[in-house]
Amino acid sequence: MKFSSIISGIAAACSLFGSATAAFTNPIRSPGGSDPFIMRSGDGYYYLMTTSWTDLEIARSTTIAGLKTATKKVIYTSTVTNRCCNIWAPEIHWMGSAWYVYFTAGNGDNLDGQRMHVLKGGASAWDNSYTYAGQLNDVWAIDASVIRFSAYGNYLMFSCMYGVTYQSICLQKLNDDNISLSGSITVISSPEQTWEKYSYPVNEGPAALYAGGKTMISYSASYCWSPNYCLGLLTWDGTTSPTLKSAWTKSSGCQLSSGSGHYGTGHNSFFTSPSGGETWIAYHATSNSAGACDDTRYTMVQKITVGSSGSVSFGTPAANSLSISEPV
Ligand SMILES: *[C@@H]1O[C@H](CO)[C@@H](O)[C@H](O)[C@H]1NC(C)=O
């Protein structure tokens, strides 16, 4: 064997070895990792948005490890009184022909003015073309997210207090323009079980999960200043109008809760791996055993288990020492 081919053989082996062992450790963003939304775009990048309170920031990287140091780009800031401040829970969704960023904002004095708003972007999530497209409805509402039903179309889901005493998961029809809503607001889940009422009864942070032909919604239960803030799961019956509470079955307890020194595990998003074969979760947690609602919360990323019948297991929070292979 020629010396040069030995060298290239070693180089090939090294690069194979290198890609097979690409890995990361948690947390991915700390502090400033609240309400993490991660999606993987067709351009090969993972995009991360978290709650900053003051503006909307987006970062991207081709690896999860790279998100730790990725430069954040500001895509929204405003001095308009009713949407300048308390900017929370941005999510970026591809809606057929453009990216849309749904987010919560309000005034600087209190949280009574929290409303949902939307930016319209361009064909690339990294474009600098984001423009403010409007306020979605005029009730107290936070944590907007999109859920799709083949027979019923797209809905916006969010946490609201519309006709209920405690923050609940609500649905309203998303119009074809993707920047306005129509029809009534309906409540599909309220904090009613013990595990949804620690410190204070709350349902918030809905995220759609489609697996094994089932449509599900994960959401955060209990108050964030509690170590018991956790993820619950709603499963749609597949036929009845999704606007009906009776169309959804609630899990009998938390599906992801405190562990490995991480407390208050909640407000998640889901994304798929580059091959499309793996489902991953991003959520926030705190090392404060009393829970936390502030900027000290950090972003965690790990793979979840999805069965072909639509059974899902979120597992337990990954220890920070655990080396996790990049999604494939
Ligand atoms: C809104 O979203 C739908 C479905 O996701 C898409 O077909 C449609 O083109 C979008 N409309 C606009 C104006 O972007």
Side-chain angles (χ1 to χ4, degrees):
M1 193 186 244
K2 287 206 319 258
F3 181 69
S4 62
S5 53
I6 293 172
I7 295 294
S8 63
I10 290 169
C14 284
S15 87
L16 275 175
F17 186 70
S19 65
T21 55
F24 66 88
T25 53
N26 280 299
I28 300 304
R29 179 177 286 174
S30 177
S34 301
D35 311 330
F37 188 87
I38 293 181
M39 64 85 179
R40 190 172 182 282
S41 168
D43 64 10
Y45 286 89
Y46 296 101
Y47 287 79
L48 170 62
M49 299 187 82
T50 58
T51 289
S52 83
W53 275 270
T54 55
D55 59 13
L56 296 179
E57 298 165 3
I58 193 164
R60 72 172 185 173
S61 172
T62 55
T63 61
I64 299 299
L67 288 174
K68 291 185 176 186
T69 52
T71 305
K72 294 176 215 159
K73 183 158 83 174
V74 174
I75 58 168
Y76 171 84
T77 178
S78 176
T79 54
V80 178
T81 313
N82 73 334
R83 55 182 170 89
C84 65
C85 307
N86 285 302
I87 299 173
W88 298 349
E91 297 199 356
I92 179 166
H93 293 269
W94 175 251
M95 303 301 292
S97 56
W99 290 97
Y100 291 81
V101 177
Y102 300 90
F103 65 102
T104 304
N107 64 64
D109 300 330
N110 56 53
L111 298 178
D112 298 342
Q114 296 300 86
R115 299 289 186 273
M116 303 181 296
H117 301 266
V118 56
L119 303 184
K120 184 174 184 180
S124 161
W126 202 241
D127 280 353
N128 290 322
S129 61
Y130 291 99
T131 52
Y132 179 71
Q135 182 178 317
L136 287 151
N137 60 25
D138 198 21
V139 298
W140 190 94
I142 63 171
D143 300 349
S145 191
V146 175
I147 185 165
R148 303 160 195 261
F149 302 92
S150 52
Y152 293 94
N154 297 340
Y155 281 79
L156 200 73
M157 53 182 177
F158 44 94
S159 180
C160 81
M161 299 195 55
Y162 191 70
V164 287
T165 310
Y166 301 113
Q167 267 182 254
S168 298
I169 304 300
C170 305
L171 243 59
Q172 193 174 8
K173 190 83 187 75
L174 183 61
N175 292 333
D176 288 342
D177 60 9
N178 302 312
I179 57 171
S180 66
L181 304 173
S182 59
S184 48
I185 298 169
T186 62
V187 173
I188 60 162
S189 174
S190 289
E192 286 155 355
Q193 301 185 14
T194 306
W195 57 274
E196 301 178 282
K197 300 195 284 192
Y198 283 105
S199 292
Y200 199 76
V202 174
N203 277 183
E204 61 185 13
L209 177 61
Y210 314 96
K214 289 187 183 164
T215 299
M216 295 166 270
I217 298 172
S218 68
Y219 65 98
S220 304
S222 292
Y223 184 46
C224 46
W225 286 112
S226 153
N228 301 106
Y229 188 72
C230 75
L231 292 182
L233 191 69
L234 302 170
T235 303
W236 184 44
D237 68 15
T239 50
T240 317
S241 170
T243 60
L244 299 173
K245 191 177 180 186
S246 59
W248 298 90
T249 302
K250 183 176 291 193
S251 58
S252 55
C254 298
Q255 304 298 294
L256 181 73
S257 48
S258 299
S260 305
H262 304 294
Y263 301 92
T265 51
H267 205 127
N268 74 294
S269 53
F270 298 104
F271 62 96
T272 47
S273 63
S275 71
E278 301 172 349
T279 306
W280 288 67
I281 189 170
Y283 60 95
H284 70 222
T286 173
S287 57
N288 182 345
S289 61
C293 301
D294 62 14
D295 201 42
T296 62
R297 292 176 297 185
Y298 43 76
T299 298
M300 300 282 296
V301 171
Q302 59 192 83
K303 189 160 70 171
I304 63 170
T305 306
V306 176
S308 55
S309 63
S311 61
V312 295
S313 169
F314 296 165
T316 55
N320 286 352
S321 58
L322 185 68
S323 177
I324 300 177
S325 297
E326 289 280 341
V328 290

